[in-house]
Amino acid sequence: MTVVDLEAAIRWYTRLFGREADARPMEGLVEWHLAPTFGVQVWADAGRAGRSTMVISESDLDDLADRLRRAGVDHGGIQAATTSRVLPVTDPDGNSIVFTGN
C-alpha cells in the first residue's frame, strides 16, 4: 500500500490490524506479518499513493466490523457479494482494503 505520510499511515494501519507493525526493513517501509506466508507492506511513495488495493480473507466479518468501529476506523458496513460478504475500508490516502468472508 502506497501512502503520502508514512507515520500517519502507521497509526491508521495499527488501528486497522489491531496491533503495531512487525518490521521496518528499510527507510520509508513498514510491514505487518499477518500469517507465516502473508503480510502487508506500507510504504511512502507520494506519487503513487492511493492507488493500491488488497483483499484479505477474514473468518469473522461481524467481529471485525465491530472492532474497527471501536478503533475509529470508518467503514460503510458489511455488504453482500455474489458468494460471500465483504467489508470495504478505505485508508486516508484512498487505498482500498476489502475484507471478505461469510
mmCIF file of all heavy atoms in Angstrom, residues 35-77:
data_model
loop_
_atom_site.group_PDB
_atom_site.id
_atom_site.type_symbol
_atom_site.label_atom_id
_atom_site.label_comp_id
_atom_site.label_asym_id
_atom_site.label_seq_id
_atom_site.Cartn_x
_atom_site.Cartn_y
_atom_site.Cartn_z
ATOM 1 N N ALA A 35 0.393 -13.598 8.720
ATOM 2 C CA ALA A 35 0.413 -15.065 8.723
ATOM 3 C C ALA A 35 1.829 -15.475 8.325
ATOM 4 O O ALA A 35 2.616 -14.645 7.861
ATOM 5 C CB ALA A 35 -0.611 -15.627 7.745
ATOM 6 N N PRO A 36 2.174 -16.738 8.490
ATOM 7 C CA PRO A 36 3.541 -17.158 8.163
ATOM 8 C C PRO A 36 3.971 -16.834 6.728
ATOM 9 O O PRO A 36 5.134 -16.561 6.479
ATOM 10 C CB PRO A 36 3.514 -18.664 8.393
ATOM 11 C CG PRO A 36 2.448 -18.869 9.422
ATOM 12 C CD PRO A 36 1.405 -17.834 9.106
ATOM 13 N N THR A 37 3.028 -16.833 5.796
ATOM 14 C CA THR A 37 3.394 -16.569 4.396
ATOM 15 C C THR A 37 2.642 -15.381 3.813
ATOM 16 O O THR A 37 2.530 -15.246 2.597
ATOM 17 C CB THR A 37 3.115 -17.816 3.528
ATOM 18 O OG1 THR A 37 1.724 -18.137 3.628
ATOM 19 C CG2 THR A 37 3.960 -18.995 3.975
ATOM 20 N N PHE A 38 2.113 -14.505 4.656
ATOM 21 C CA PHE A 38 1.335 -13.366 4.175
ATOM 22 C C PHE A 38 1.587 -12.147 5.047
ATOM 23 O O PHE A 38 1.618 -12.252 6.273
ATOM 24 C CB PHE A 38 -0.162 -13.691 4.189
ATOM 25 C CG PHE A 38 -1.034 -12.507 3.879
ATOM 26 C CD1 PHE A 38 -1.142 -12.031 2.590
ATOM 27 C CD2 PHE A 38 -1.721 -11.854 4.879
ATOM 28 C CE1 PHE A 38 -1.930 -10.921 2.300
ATOM 29 C CE2 PHE A 38 -2.510 -10.748 4.615
ATOM 30 C CZ PHE A 38 -2.616 -10.291 3.310
ATOM 31 N N GLY A 39 1.739 -11.021 4.403
ATOM 32 C CA GLY A 39 1.905 -9.778 5.130
ATOM 33 C C GLY A 39 1.498 -8.594 4.285
ATOM 34 O O GLY A 39 1.171 -8.733 3.114
ATOM 35 N N VAL A 40 1.509 -7.438 4.916
ATOM 36 C CA VAL A 40 1.173 -6.193 4.235
ATOM 37 C C VAL A 40 2.326 -5.227 4.421
ATOM 38 O O VAL A 40 2.800 -5.028 5.537
ATOM 39 C CB VAL A 40 -0.129 -5.592 4.809
ATOM 40 C CG1 VAL A 40 -0.388 -4.207 4.246
ATOM 41 C CG2 VAL A 40 -1.310 -6.516 4.537
ATOM 42 N N GLN A 41 2.748 -4.649 3.313
ATOM 43 C CA GLN A 41 3.769 -3.611 3.348
ATOM 44 C C GLN A 41 3.098 -2.272 3.074
ATOM 45 O O GLN A 41 2.256 -2.163 2.181
ATOM 46 C CB GLN A 41 4.843 -3.842 2.284
ATOM 47 C CG GLN A 41 5.712 -5.039 2.539
ATOM 48 C CD GLN A 41 6.825 -5.140 1.520
ATOM 49 O OE1 GLN A 41 6.635 -4.885 0.334
ATOM 50 N NE2 GLN A 41 7.999 -5.521 1.990
ATOM 51 N N VAL A 42 3.486 -1.268 3.839
ATOM 52 C CA VAL A 42 3.013 0.091 3.628
ATOM 53 C C VAL A 42 4.250 0.953 3.443
ATOM 54 O O VAL A 42 5.155 0.924 4.276
ATOM 55 C CB VAL A 42 2.182 0.584 4.833
ATOM 56 C CG1 VAL A 42 1.763 2.031 4.648
ATOM 57 C CG2 VAL A 42 0.962 -0.315 5.042
ATOM 58 N N TRP A 43 4.306 1.663 2.333
ATOM 59 C CA TRP A 43 5.492 2.473 2.104
ATOM 60 C C TRP A 43 5.141 3.841 1.559
ATOM 61 O O TRP A 43 4.113 4.040 0.932
ATOM 62 C CB TRP A 43 6.516 1.769 1.222
ATOM 63 C CG TRP A 43 6.159 1.565 -0.211
ATOM 64 C CD1 TRP A 43 6.436 2.386 -1.257
ATOM 65 C CD2 TRP A 43 5.478 0.443 -0.772
ATOM 66 N NE1 TRP A 43 5.971 1.850 -2.424
ATOM 67 C CE2 TRP A 43 5.382 0.657 -2.156
ATOM 68 C CE3 TRP A 43 4.934 -0.724 -0.238
ATOM 69 C CZ2 TRP A 43 4.763 -0.245 -3.008
ATOM 70 C CZ3 TRP A 43 4.323 -1.621 -1.089
ATOM 71 C CH2 TRP A 43 4.253 -1.374 -2.446
ATOM 72 N N ALA A 44 6.024 4.789 1.856
ATOM 73 C CA ALA A 44 5.859 6.170 1.430
ATOM 74 C C ALA A 44 6.254 6.300 -0.032
ATOM 75 O O ALA A 44 7.385 5.989 -0.403
ATOM 76 C CB ALA A 44 6.700 7.097 2.294
ATOM 77 N N ASP A 45 5.298 6.706 -0.848
ATOM 78 C CA ASP A 45 5.533 6.959 -2.267
ATOM 79 C C ASP A 45 4.439 7.920 -2.708
ATOM 80 O O ASP A 45 3.389 7.497 -3.213
ATOM 81 C CB ASP A 45 5.496 5.658 -3.069
ATOM 82 C CG ASP A 45 5.855 5.856 -4.534
ATOM 83 O OD1 ASP A 45 5.841 7.009 -5.018
ATOM 84 O OD2 ASP A 45 6.143 4.845 -5.196
ATOM 85 N N ALA A 46 4.652 9.206 -2.470
ATOM 86 C CA ALA A 46 3.623 10.217 -2.702
ATOM 87 C C ALA A 46 3.092 10.202 -4.132
ATOM 88 O O ALA A 46 1.910 10.449 -4.359
ATOM 89 C CB ALA A 46 4.158 11.603 -2.352
ATOM 90 N N GLY A 47 3.926 9.877 -5.094
ATOM 91 C CA GLY A 47 3.497 9.862 -6.492
ATOM 92 C C GLY A 47 2.522 8.749 -6.825
ATOM 93 O O GLY A 47 1.772 8.847 -7.783
ATOM 94 N N ARG A 48 2.535 7.681 -6.046
ATOM 95 C CA ARG A 48 1.644 6.544 -6.305
ATOM 96 C C ARG A 48 0.622 6.337 -5.196
ATOM 97 O O ARG A 48 -0.186 5.409 -5.265
ATOM 98 C CB ARG A 48 2.471 5.271 -6.455
ATOM 99 C CG ARG A 48 3.323 5.272 -7.701
ATOM 100 C CD ARG A 48 4.083 3.975 -7.882
ATOM 101 N NE ARG A 48 3.367 2.845 -7.324
ATOM 102 C CZ ARG A 48 3.939 1.747 -6.845
ATOM 103 N NH1 ARG A 48 5.238 1.631 -6.866
ATOM 104 N NH2 ARG A 48 3.234 0.758 -6.347
ATOM 105 N N ALA A 49 0.631 7.171 -4.194
ATOM 106 C CA ALA A 49 -0.248 6.991 -3.033
ATOM 107 C C ALA A 49 -1.715 6.956 -3.443
ATOM 108 O O ALA A 49 -2.141 7.683 -4.333
ATOM 109 C CB ALA A 49 -0.019 8.109 -2.024
ATOM 110 N N GLY A 50 -2.457 6.077 -2.784
ATOM 111 C CA GLY A 50 -3.889 5.998 -3.005
ATOM 112 C C GLY A 50 -4.325 5.145 -4.170
ATOM 113 O O GLY A 50 -5.497 5.101 -4.501
ATOM 114 N N ARG A 51 -3.417 4.425 -4.791
ATOM 115 C CA ARG A 51 -3.757 3.622 -5.965
ATOM 116 C C ARG A 51 -3.650 2.127 -5.715
ATOM 117 O O ARG A 51 -3.659 1.335 -6.642
ATOM 118 C CB ARG A 51 -2.838 4.009 -7.126
ATOM 119 C CG ARG A 51 -3.023 5.447 -7.545
ATOM 120 C CD ARG A 51 -2.182 5.782 -8.728
ATOM 121 N NE ARG A 51 -2.328 7.189 -9.045
ATOM 122 C CZ ARG A 51 -1.412 7.916 -9.614
ATOM 123 N NH1 ARG A 51 -0.260 7.386 -9.944
ATOM 124 N NH2 ARG A 51 -1.634 9.187 -9.876
ATOM 125 N N SER A 52 -3.545 1.735 -4.453
ATOM 126 C CA SER A 52 -3.383 0.319 -4.119
ATOM 127 C C SER A 52 -4.702 -0.292 -3.671
ATOM 128 O O SER A 52 -5.563 0.390 -3.131
ATOM 129 C CB SER A 52 -2.361 0.158 -2.983
ATOM 130 O OG SER A 52 -1.105 0.674 -3.356
ATOM 131 N N THR A 53 -4.818 -1.596 -3.896
ATOM 132 C CA THR A 53 -5.971 -2.370 -3.450
ATOM 133 C C THR A 53 -5.486 -3.702 -2.925
ATOM 134 O O THR A 53 -4.588 -4.304 -3.507
ATOM 135 C CB THR A 53 -6.952 -2.621 -4.605
ATOM 136 O OG1 THR A 53 -7.416 -1.368 -5.107
ATOM 137 C CG2 THR A 53 -8.147 -3.441 -4.154
ATOM 138 N N MET A 54 -6.080 -4.164 -1.830
ATOM 139 C CA MET A 54 -5.799 -5.517 -1.358
ATOM 140 C C MET A 54 -7.085 -6.141 -0.864
ATOM 141 O O MET A 54 -8.006 -5.446 -0.428
ATOM 142 C CB MET A 54 -4.719 -5.538 -0.291
ATOM 143 C CG MET A 54 -5.112 -5.047 1.053
ATOM 144 S SD MET A 54 -3.791 -5.322 2.254
ATOM 145 C CE MET A 54 -3.807 -3.750 3.076
ATOM 146 N N VAL A 55 -7.148 -7.460 -0.955
ATOM 147 C CA VAL A 55 -8.285 -8.228 -0.465
ATOM 148 C C VAL A 55 -7.745 -9.206 0.564
ATOM 149 O O VAL A 55 -6.773 -9.909 0.312
ATOM 150 C CB VAL A 55 -8.982 -8.986 -1.613
ATOM 151 C CG1 VAL A 55 -10.127 -9.833 -1.085
ATOM 152 C CG2 VAL A 55 -9.465 -8.003 -2.677
ATOM 153 N N ILE A 56 -8.388 -9.230 1.737
ATOM 154 C CA ILE A 56 -7.950 -10.084 2.843
ATOM 155 C C ILE A 56 -9.125 -10.927 3.305
ATOM 156 O O ILE A 56 -10.209 -10.404 3.603
ATOM 157 C CB ILE A 56 -7.425 -9.237 4.027
ATOM 158 C CG1 ILE A 56 -6.249 -8.363 3.578
ATOM 159 C CG2 ILE A 56 -7.038 -10.128 5.196
ATOM 160 C CD1 ILE A 56 -5.771 -7.400 4.644
ATOM 161 N N SER A 57 -8.909 -12.224 3.368
ATOM 162 C CA SER A 57 -9.936 -13.135 3.879
ATOM 163 C C SER A 57 -10.018 -12.990 5.392
ATOM 164 O O SER A 57 -8.997 -12.948 6.075
ATOM 165 C CB SER A 57 -9.574 -14.570 3.493
ATOM 166 O OG SER A 57 -10.538 -15.461 4.005
ATOM 167 N N GLU A 58 -11.237 -12.923 5.908
ATOM 168 C CA GLU A 58 -11.462 -12.748 7.346
ATOM 169 C C GLU A 58 -12.485 -13.772 7.807
ATOM 170 O O GLU A 58 -13.538 -13.926 7.189
ATOM 171 C CB GLU A 58 -11.963 -11.323 7.615
ATOM 172 C CG GLU A 58 -12.328 -11.027 9.023
ATOM 173 C CD GLU A 58 -11.179 -11.193 9.996
ATOM 174 O OE1 GLU A 58 -10.060 -10.757 9.703
ATOM 175 O OE2 GLU A 58 -11.422 -11.767 11.075
ATOM 176 N N SER A 59 -12.195 -14.462 8.885
ATOM 177 C CA SER A 59 -13.090 -15.526 9.356
ATOM 178 C C SER A 59 -14.347 -14.990 10.042
ATOM 179 O O SER A 59 -15.377 -15.658 10.051
ATOM 180 C CB SER A 59 -12.350 -16.476 10.296
ATOM 181 O OG SER A 59 -11.879 -15.770 11.426
ATOM 182 N N ASP A 60 -14.301 -13.795 10.616
ATOM 183 C CA ASP A 60 -15.464 -13.252 11.324
ATOM 184 C C ASP A 60 -15.634 -11.775 10.973
ATOM 185 O O ASP A 60 -15.127 -10.896 11.684
ATOM 186 C CB ASP A 60 -15.298 -13.454 12.831
ATOM 187 C CG ASP A 60 -16.561 -13.138 13.614
ATOM 188 O OD1 ASP A 60 -17.419 -12.374 13.103
ATOM 189 O OD2 ASP A 60 -16.691 -13.647 14.736
ATOM 190 N N LEU A 61 -16.343 -11.514 9.879
ATOM 191 C CA LEU A 61 -16.531 -10.133 9.433
ATOM 192 C C LEU A 61 -17.314 -9.297 10.440
ATOM 193 O O LEU A 61 -17.038 -8.111 10.601
ATOM 194 C CB LEU A 61 -17.251 -10.100 8.087
ATOM 195 C CG LEU A 61 -16.429 -10.420 6.851
ATOM 196 C CD1 LEU A 61 -17.313 -10.368 5.608
ATOM 197 C CD2 LEU A 61 -15.259 -9.477 6.691
ATOM 198 N N ASP A 62 -18.284 -9.906 11.104
ATOM 199 C CA ASP A 62 -19.077 -9.150 12.079
ATOM 200 C C ASP A 62 -18.203 -8.643 13.222
ATOM 201 O O ASP A 62 -18.280 -7.468 13.609
ATOM 202 C CB ASP A 62 -20.214 -10.015 12.618
ATOM 203 C CG ASP A 62 -21.197 -10.397 11.524
ATOM 204 O OD1 ASP A 62 -21.752 -9.480 10.887
ATOM 205 O OD2 ASP A 62 -21.384 -11.601 11.299
ATOM 206 N N ASP A 63 -17.355 -9.511 13.744
ATOM 207 C CA ASP A 63 -16.443 -9.118 14.817
ATOM 208 C C ASP A 63 -15.470 -8.049 14.331
ATOM 209 O O ASP A 63 -15.208 -7.073 15.033
ATOM 210 C CB ASP A 63 -15.686 -10.347 15.335
ATOM 211 C CG ASP A 63 -14.786 -9.999 16.503
ATOM 212 O OD1 ASP A 63 -15.305 -9.504 17.521
ATOM 213 O OD2 ASP A 63 -13.557 -10.215 16.383
ATOM 214 N N LEU A 64 -14.938 -8.231 13.118
ATOM 215 C CA LEU A 64 -14.008 -7.243 12.563
ATOM 216 C C LEU A 64 -14.683 -5.888 12.409
ATOM 217 O O LEU A 64 -14.114 -4.857 12.785
ATOM 218 C CB LEU A 64 -13.456 -7.716 11.219
ATOM 219 C CG LEU A 64 -12.547 -6.725 10.503
ATOM 220 C CD1 LEU A 64 -11.290 -6.427 11.326
ATOM 221 C CD2 LEU A 64 -12.198 -7.218 9.119
ATOM 222 N N ALA A 65 -15.900 -5.861 11.858
ATOM 223 C CA ALA A 65 -16.610 -4.593 11.678
ATOM 224 C C ALA A 65 -16.797 -3.885 13.013
ATOM 225 O O ALA A 65 -16.591 -2.669 13.119
ATOM 226 C CB ALA A 65 -17.952 -4.836 10.998
ATOM 227 N N ASP A 66 -17.158 -4.640 14.042
ATOM 228 C CA ASP A 66 -17.315 -4.055 15.376
ATOM 229 C C ASP A 66 -15.988 -3.539 15.923
ATOM 230 O O ASP A 66 -15.909 -2.434 16.466
ATOM 231 C CB ASP A 66 -17.896 -5.072 16.352
ATOM 232 C CG ASP A 66 -19.352 -5.388 16.071
ATOM 233 O OD1 ASP A 66 -20.022 -4.588 15.380
ATOM 234 O OD2 ASP A 66 -19.818 -6.447 16.534
ATOM 235 N N ARG A 67 -14.915 -4.335 15.787
ATOM 236 C CA ARG A 67 -13.594 -3.916 16.290
ATOM 237 C C ARG A 67 -13.127 -2.652 15.595
ATOM 238 O O ARG A 67 -12.623 -1.717 16.216
ATOM 239 C CB ARG A 67 -12.560 -5.033 16.115
ATOM 240 C CG ARG A 67 -11.207 -4.656 16.740
ATOM 241 C CD ARG A 67 -10.137 -5.678 16.499
ATOM 242 N NE ARG A 67 -9.748 -5.846 15.122
ATOM 243 C CZ ARG A 67 -9.014 -4.974 14.416
ATOM 244 N NH1 ARG A 67 -8.610 -3.836 14.951
ATOM 245 N NH2 ARG A 67 -8.693 -5.236 13.164
ATOM 246 N N LEU A 68 -13.297 -2.602 14.253
ATOM 247 C CA LEU A 68 -12.863 -1.417 13.508
ATOM 248 C C LEU A 68 -13.650 -0.186 13.936
ATOM 249 O O LEU A 68 -13.080 0.893 14.102
ATOM 250 C CB LEU A 68 -13.001 -1.653 12.007
ATOM 251 C CG LEU A 68 -12.056 -2.690 11.405
ATOM 252 C CD1 LEU A 68 -12.309 -2.834 9.913
ATOM 253 C CD2 LEU A 68 -10.599 -2.363 11.684
ATOM 254 N N ARG A 69 -14.942 -0.346 14.126
ATOM 255 C CA ARG A 69 -15.766 0.782 14.565
ATOM 256 C C ARG A 69 -15.273 1.302 15.914
ATOM 257 O O ARG A 69 -15.112 2.507 16.117
ATOM 258 C CB ARG A 69 -17.232 0.344 14.650
ATOM 259 C CG ARG A 69 -18.199 1.501 14.761
ATOM 260 C CD ARG A 69 -19.658 1.064 14.608
ATOM 261 N NE ARG A 69 -19.936 0.632 13.240
ATOM 262 C CZ ARG A 69 -20.225 -0.632 12.894
ATOM 263 N NH1 ARG A 69 -20.280 -1.582 13.799
ATOM 264 N NH2 ARG A 69 -20.468 -0.948 11.641
ATOM 265 N N ARG A 70 -14.995 0.382 16.854
ATOM 266 C CA ARG A 70 -14.498 0.785 18.178
ATOM 267 C C ARG A 70 -13.126 1.453 18.082
ATOM 268 O O ARG A 70 -12.799 2.323 18.891
ATOM 269 C CB ARG A 70 -14.419 -0.424 19.102
ATOM 270 C CG ARG A 70 -15.769 -0.929 19.578
ATOM 271 C CD ARG A 70 -15.657 -1.975 20.679
ATOM 272 N NE ARG A 70 -14.730 -3.061 20.393
ATOM 273 C CZ ARG A 70 -15.045 -4.186 19.754
ATOM 274 N NH1 ARG A 70 -16.262 -4.392 19.316
ATOM 275 N NH2 ARG A 70 -14.118 -5.115 19.564
ATOM 276 N N ALA A 71 -12.310 1.032 17.097
ATOM 277 C CA ALA A 71 -10.966 1.594 16.926
ATOM 278 C C ALA A 71 -10.978 2.912 16.158
ATOM 279 O O ALA A 71 -9.934 3.534 15.975
ATOM 280 C CB ALA A 71 -10.071 0.583 16.209
ATOM 281 N N GLY A 72 -12.151 3.328 15.688
ATOM 282 C CA GLY A 72 -12.243 4.590 14.958
ATOM 283 C C GLY A 72 -11.912 4.477 13.484
ATOM 284 O O GLY A 72 -11.610 5.483 12.845
ATOM 285 N N VAL A 73 -11.984 3.269 12.931
ATOM 286 C CA VAL A 73 -11.752 3.074 11.502
ATOM 287 C C VAL A 73 -13.117 3.074 10.816
ATOM 288 O O VAL A 73 -13.926 2.170 11.004
ATOM 289 C CB VAL A 73 -11.011 1.745 11.220
ATOM 290 C CG1 VAL A 73 -10.872 1.513 9.718
ATOM 291 C CG2 VAL A 73 -9.638 1.754 11.892
ATOM 292 N N ASP A 74 -13.380 4.116 10.031
ATOM 293 C CA ASP A 74 -14.663 4.254 9.354
ATOM 294 C C ASP A 74 -14.829 3.219 8.251
ATOM 295 O O ASP A 74 -13.878 2.888 7.540
ATOM 296 C CB ASP A 74 -14.801 5.652 8.744
ATOM 297 C CG ASP A 74 -14.876 6.742 9.794
ATOM 298 O OD1 ASP A 74 -15.399 6.473 10.893
ATOM 299 O OD2 ASP A 74 -14.407 7.855 9.513
ATOM 300 N N HIS A 75 -16.058 2.733 8.126
ATOM 301 C CA HIS A 75 -16.418 1.839 7.024
ATOM 302 C C HIS A 75 -17.919 1.909 6.833
ATOM 303 O O HIS A 75 -18.649 2.377 7.712
ATOM 304 C CB HIS A 75 -15.943 0.406 7.292
ATOM 305 C CG HIS A 75 -16.502 -0.217 8.536
ATOM 306 N ND1 HIS A 75 -17.782 -0.725 8.603
ATOM 307 C CD2 HIS A 75 -15.969 -0.373 9.773
ATOM 308 C CE1 HIS A 75 -18.000 -1.204 9.810
ATOM 309 N NE2 HIS A 75 -16.919 -0.984 10.555
ATOM 310 N N GLY A 76 -18.379 1.460 5.694
ATOM 311 C CA GLY A 76 -19.803 1.518 5.382
ATOM 312 C C GLY A 76 -20.577 0.291 5.797
ATOM 313 O O GLY A 76 -21.737 0.138 5.440
ATOM 314 N N GLY A 77 -19.942 -0.613 6.519
ATOM 315 C CA GLY A 77 -20.606 -1.830 6.961
ATOM 316 C C GLY A 77 -20.386 -2.983 5.996
ATOM 317 O O GLY A 77 -19.829 -2.832 4.913
#
